[in-house]
Amino acid sequence: MKARKIRDGVYWMGAIDWERRLFDSLIPLPDGTSYNAYLVQGSEKTALLDAVDPAMANILMSQLESVPHIDYLVAHHAEQDHSGSIPRVIEKYPDAQVIASPKGKGMLVDHLLIPEDRIVTVDDGETLSLGGKTLEFIHTPWVHWPETMVTYLQEERILFSCDFFGSHVATTDLYVRDEPRVYEAAKRYYAEIMMPFRKVIRKNMEKLEGREIDLIAPSHGPIYDRPTFIQDAYRSWVLDKPRNVVVLPYISMHGSTREMVDYLVGALAERGVTVYRFDLAVTDIGKLAITLVDAATIVIGAPTVNVGPHPVVAYAAYLANVLRPKLQFASIIGSYGWNSKVVERIAGLIPDLKVELLDPVVCKGRPGEADFAALDRLAESIAAKHKEHGFD
Ligand code: FEO
């Protein structure tokens, strides 16, 4: 794809990665992604904002063939999907300076071996005039690394946000044209990399208030020409209060744990609780992450393998712990063959969730009447807790 004009002197550059299906060797990308860079040309100077994943550097380099000179390369973030091809770009433009936050400078040196004397740091709020186009650098740490910053192009009221507000979508649309599709992709993206930092993200959003923003141009996914769409979504995702939702990831080896899951899902539904149920043998963990954004409770369905949880369940519990959603309650249900320490082992995997553990229901072999009664009590307890806290 060639460079695309956004405004006079402002261009989208970068690469659409239609075929990528996994990020960080972890995160499923059902719709691919993009690595957006942006060229801003003032009357005196030219800046390139971010670069692309090194696997797609040739595409950016071919777009830059028609750009004779670059003065600055703004590196908002040192992660390689944006910074990895900076060494090639600055090799082509030997006079260009790389601009980064102070933390970003060290990380660019560490990750990419960029010579220190090629990097200039900018303070929070510092501005740089390109001639009729003023770049304002705003430090926004922890979206989602400590060095991250964004750039506000004052005259055009464009926020170049890098990962912040991004979505993993490969599309020919320069601007968002299918909001429901982008909403889900942005929520998946938020869940997988931003959610652990939601409190600091809230502060970063407050910091951006007061600036008129006509466009949000992220480094993944299409540009938001209706910025309130993604700003409102983020505002709801970073709230402390969860919703009346249970997420229930499980595995069943011989059907007993599934019987318990079936029963509990029905018991919760009867009590007006929304349940998202995931058979971990086949589920897309991105979907699981999306539902964790709003959930109040997680119930983990775990059969026992050699006294501990089934390894696939252990992985899901560990992942939930890493993503640190705003969950407030947790419980464990499952069946075992001859002995089990599944409750202690799973509880040990989720120390960062800071949840109240509700009475687990673990049974030997197939569940019986007493076990179903215990599942009813668990459903009642969850519904009551949600109601008491005003989760709706
Ligand atoms: Fe898109 Fe954190 O890199």
Side-chain angles (χ1 to χ4, degrees), residues 23-24 33-35 77-83 143-145 147-148 162-164 168 189 193-194 219-220:
F23 207 85
D24 294 340
T33 190
S34 66
Y35 318 106
H77 178 27
E79 195 168 12
Q80 289 89 331
D81 53 323
H82 311 291
S83 67
V143 289
H144 58 121
W145 278 14
E147 87 295 6
T148 44
C162 199
D163 277 350
F164 201 7
H168 282 310
Y189 186 73
I193 69 162
M194 298 289 174
S219 291
H220 296 291

Side-chain angles (χ1 to χ4, degrees), residues 120-250:
V120 177
T121 63
V122 285
D123 291 331
D124 187 20
E126 194 169 329
T127 58
L128 174 67
S129 175
L130 305 177
K133 289 199 166 41
T134 310
L135 304 180
E136 178 185 357
F137 306 108
I138 306 163
H139 290 191
T140 50
W142 296 108
V143 289
H144 58 121
W145 278 14
E147 87 295 6
T148 44
M149 65 175 193
V150 299
T151 296
Y152 180 61
L153 176 54
Q154 293 178 341
E155 291 80 359
E156 303 290 349
R157 307 201 295 197
I158 303 174
L159 182 74
F160 298 97
S161 61
C162 199
D163 277 350
F164 201 7
F165 303 120
S167 65
H168 282 310
V169 183
T171 172
T172 51
D173 295 337
L174 182 58
Y175 301 99
V176 175
R177 289 293 169 261
D178 183 346
E179 286 191 348
R181 181 178 185 224
V182 174
Y183 182 92
E184 172 149 334
K187 192 170 187 180
R188 172 186 290 261
Y189 186 73
Y190 167 85
E192 290 165 340
I193 69 162
M194 298 289 174
M195 187 155 63
F197 311 108
R198 68 187 174 83
K199 288 183 194 296
V200 71
I201 289 172
R202 213 152 59 197
K203 285 193 186 135
N204 284 323
M205 291 189 68
E206 284 163 14
K207 196 169 175 181
L208 295 174
E209 277 169 15
R211 284 177 185 79
E212 296 284 330
I213 297 174
D214 291 345
L215 298 177
I216 293 180
S219 291
H220 296 291
I223 296 169
Y224 301 93
D225 54 357
R226 197 173 75 80
T228 50
F229 156 63
I230 193 65
Q231 288 171 309
D232 289 347
Y234 260 69
R235 277 188 199 104
S236 74
W237 299 337
V238 300
L239 284 178
D240 282 331
K241 190 175 169 184
R243 306 201 62 200
N244 180 24
V245 168
V246 168
V247 173
L248 206 171
Y250 72 97

Side-chain angles (χ1 to χ4, degrees), residues 346-383:
I346 290 180
L349 291 171
I350 54 173
D352 295 336
L353 289 184
K354 312 293 181 209
V355 286
E356 178 185 341
L357 272 173
L358 306 178
D359 286 344
V361 183
V362 177
C363 69
K364 189 172 183 180
R366 288 190 63 181
E369 265 184 43
D371 305 307
F372 291 124
L375 289 168
D376 271 324
R377 287 195 297 278
L378 176 58
E380 190 61 36
S381 169
I382 291 169

